[in-house]
Amino acid sequence: MARREKGGFWVGLAAALFYPATALVAKRVYVDAAKIPREGPALLVMNHVSHLDPVVDAVFVHRCKRVPRFLGKESLTRMPIFGKIFTGSGQIPVSRGSAAAGDSLKAAHQALRDGKLVVVYPEGTITKREDGWLDKPFTGAARMALETDIPVIPVARWGTNHVFNGYTKKFTPFPRKTITHLVGDPIDLSAYRGAGRTRSATLLREVTAVIMDDITKLLAEIRQEEPPAKDKDED
């Protein structure tokens, strides 16, 4: 059995703060969490419905004995206390719209080469859909998935939006909610990693669509609902 990945002081502090906070506001249900690799590089691709997601997802990954590395807005590094935790625990700041924006992908690639587990929200921010289904994604996750032959694990999570709605700013911790994580099988991207395949915009969109479809299927299973039909421009 693999031992827990060591995270150091800041990861320990985050766990001490986040474990009781998340347990207070919600019951946690983890389905097929054993599919998360206990060691070695892995890319977790997840949906994003609430600003609470990174904290809840960090606890989820940590309970799987791994230290998560998130890509987060650079502004988070300037927040009191949380900024120290963010940088001290090895998270990856993203400077959107700047010349340094590409540095975050380089840092994520390096983390994967170093055998770390990286968490990515392909949508980049919380979904703007009022029904909570996935919004239009960026191709950064596909770029990371194709860079090296690593496990790409889809994970859907549902319930954080019932605790904190990011658009109405409504915080409703009580009555206590249920937050469910459902882990899927590694996504088979072998057809897109073959020799001679160029990293074209078309290829990145194809891989992104495959990733989003897998997450959507998992989310539909949690919600026990049929996902909405795709817009034509999403194909």
Side-chain angles (χ1 to χ4, degrees), residues 38-170:
R38 293 304 191 260
E39 56 187 356
L43 180 66
L44 264 58
V45 287
M46 306 183 69
N47 63 313
H48 201 0
V49 294
S50 170
H51 292 102
L52 290 180
D53 292 344
V55 171
V56 170
D57 296 340
V59 170
F60 163 69
V61 173
H62 195 257
R63 287 174 67 91
C64 292
K65 300 184 185 295
R66 298 301 303 268
V67 174
R69 272 76 180 182
F70 289 86
L71 279 77
K73 296 178 182 178
E74 187 273 336
S75 58
L76 295 174
T77 65
R78 299 191 295 273
M79 293 178 62
I81 302 176
F82 187 82
K84 290 288 188 182
I85 294 175
F86 184 89
T87 55
S89 59
Q91 308 312 306
I92 303 169
V94 179
S95 301
R96 293 176 180 169
S98 73
D103 291 344
S104 59
L105 281 181
K106 292 179 182 177
H109 288 316
Q110 186 58 55
L112 291 169
R113 285 193 289 268
D114 291 341
K116 309 302 183 184
L117 183 149
V118 174
V119 180
V120 176
Y121 302 123
E123 298 159 282
T125 186
I126 62 174
T127 179
K128 294 179 174 60
R129 295 183 60 115
E130 293 184 1
D131 57 11
W133 292 101
L134 281 75
D135 207 349
K136 293 182 179 180
F138 294 96
T139 59
R143 292 177 186 274
M144 282 184 272
L146 294 176
E147 180 72 14
T148 54
D149 188 8
I150 57 169
V152 180
I153 314 294
V155 182
R157 172 243 317 99
W158 186 247
T160 47
N161 49 318
H162 299 148
V163 179
F164 181 69
N165 185 307
Y167 293 102
T168 65
K169 307 302 181 185
K170 187 175 182 181

